[in-house]
């Protein structure tokens, strides 16, 4: 687009006579090639650096039961996705969550994560609500960890229809309109 704008301005300003058409076309294709090569190289370097821990895009605190956190880390290997796990706040399943929630909030304040992943079964809505309510005071993004069923679907979206939010797992082919 920038090339086309420059070409249009040079034609309107009648300064295109000094430019060789061959040189302009060569510059255009060489520039596009150089930009594509540079982009490919930068992406490769950033991916390699994030996998080796040299670059961590997001600092993450995991909150949930110990077995669920371990399963999450084993399955998704967040360190390969550019996440650095800075801490874990383990919730005990003894019924009294208050001390665990207090500890999770303290850990969140001390470690300054960018994101908090709540690793609990989605069916445990009461516990999820209590955890989220306690962590809302932290200046972080709060994510509900993925359920295993979501791994089967390529493009999962949350769709909001008025006051109702749904998790859209699949759509018919060639569906372009949002609900």
């Amino acid at each position: 687009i920038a090339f086309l704008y420059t070409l249009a301005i040079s034609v309107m300003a009648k300064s295109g006579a000094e430019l060789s058409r061959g040189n302009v076309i060569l510059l255009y294709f060489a520039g596009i090639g150089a930009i594509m090569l540079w982009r490919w190289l930068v992406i490769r370097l950033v991916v390699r650096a994030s996998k080796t821990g040299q670059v961590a895009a997001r600092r993450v605190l995991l909150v949930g039961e110990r077995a669920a956190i371990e399963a999450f880390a084993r399955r998704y290997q967040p360190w390969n996705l550019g996440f650095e796990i800075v801490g874990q706040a383990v919730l005990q399943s003894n019924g009294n969550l208050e001390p665990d929630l207090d500890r999770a909030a303290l850990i969140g304040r001390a470690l300054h994560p960018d994101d908090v992943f709540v690793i609990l079964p989605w069916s445990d809505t009461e516990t999820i609500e209590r955890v989220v309510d306690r962590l809302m005071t932290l200046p972080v993004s709060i994510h509900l960890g993925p359920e295993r069923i979501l791994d089967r679907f390529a493009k999962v979206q949350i769709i909001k229809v008025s006051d109702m939010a749904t998790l859209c797992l699949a759509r018919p082919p060639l569906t372009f309109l949002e609900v």
Side-chain angles (χ1 to χ4, degrees), residues 70-160:
E70 290 171 359
F72 171 81
R74 221 178 12 262
R75 170 172 283 114
Y76 297 104
Q77 299 178 357
W79 48 88
N80 286 334
L81 303 173
F83 293 115
E84 176 188 2
I85 298 174
V86 294
Q88 299 177 7
V90 177
L91 304 177
Q92 306 296 327
S93 56
N94 59 7
N96 185 12
L97 280 179
E98 289 309 311
D100 295 335
L101 294 175
D102 290 340
R103 191 171 6 87
L106 285 173
I107 291 171
R109 282 189 192 89
L111 297 178
H112 305 289
D114 298 311
D115 301 282
V116 173
F117 279 77
V118 179
I119 312 297
L120 290 169
W122 288 9
S123 59
D124 192 0
T125 57
E126 181 182 325
T127 305
I128 291 171
E129 286 180 10
R130 290 176 65 191
V131 170
V132 170
D133 286 343
R134 184 61 59 93
L135 298 178
M136 288 296 287
T137 60
L138 300 177
V140 298
S141 296
I142 300 174
H143 303 268
L144 188 55
E147 284 282 333
R148 191 170 181 174
I149 186 73
L150 299 178
D151 295 344
R152 292 182 48 200
F153 301 97
K155 189 174 181 185
V156 177
Q157 295 177 319
I158 294 179
I159 296 176
K160 189 110 173 164

